[in-house]
Amino acid sequence: MIRSKQQVFALGVAMAQLALVGWLDYISSYEISLGVFYYVPIAYAAWNLGWVWSFGFGLLCTLTLTWTEVAAGRHYSHEWIIGEVAVMRMLGFSFVAYSFNRFKHAIEDERAKV
């Protein structure tokens, strides 16, 4: 849940990051992969907004990346491959979201011990 002005700001920053990466990915065509840059808004959301938002951004990044490739003209030999690629991307993005959430909690736990 968004509870403060800082979280609203963080949500806006993460959305702006996603929009920027999606736009850059679209204009660069599908031949140049910018997929790794989709990790930035996911990691930012994990760090500032929590695990629910980071997984949500993983889903948004999956949809955005898939849309940019299809809109740019990428063709697959079978239609089902689009879904399979999207599922694999979502798994990768979910791993990043989970990892950053665990990393933040580990740091917070260590700070609490000190």
Side-chain angles (χ1 to χ4, degrees), residues 20-75:
L20 177 64
V21 172
W23 179 72
L24 290 173
D25 197 17
Y26 176 72
I27 65 170
S28 68
S29 180
Y30 64 87
E31 294 176 344
I32 299 172
S33 176
L34 299 179
V36 70
F37 294 107
Y38 285 93
Y39 295 142
V40 174
I42 296 169
Y44 186 82
W47 200 264
N48 294 293
L49 298 171
W51 69 274
V52 173
W53 284 100
S54 62
F55 282 102
F57 269 93
L59 179 61
L60 286 174
C61 287
T62 300
L63 295 172
T64 303
L65 181 53
T66 302
W67 177 82
T68 57
E69 286 189 347
V70 172
R74 182 163 191 145
H75 298 284

Side-chain angles (χ1 to χ4, degrees), residues 39 42 87-97:
Y39 295 142
I42 296 169
V87 168
M88 292 300 117
R89 288 180 178 149
M90 185 62 202
L91 287 173
F93 291 153
S94 295
F95 177 75
V96 170

Side-chain angles (χ1 to χ4, degrees), residues 1 3 7 9 15 17 19 24-25 31-32 37 41 47 49 72 74 85 88 98-99 113-114:
M1 236 16 208
R3 295 187 182 112
Q7 289 177 322
F9 179 75
M15 290 297 289
Q17 290 171 345
L24 290 173
D25 197 17
E31 294 176 344
I32 299 172
F37 294 107
W47 200 264
L49 298 171
R74 182 163 191 145
V85 169
M88 292 300 117
Y98 175 78
S99 298
K113 288 179 185 177
V114 173

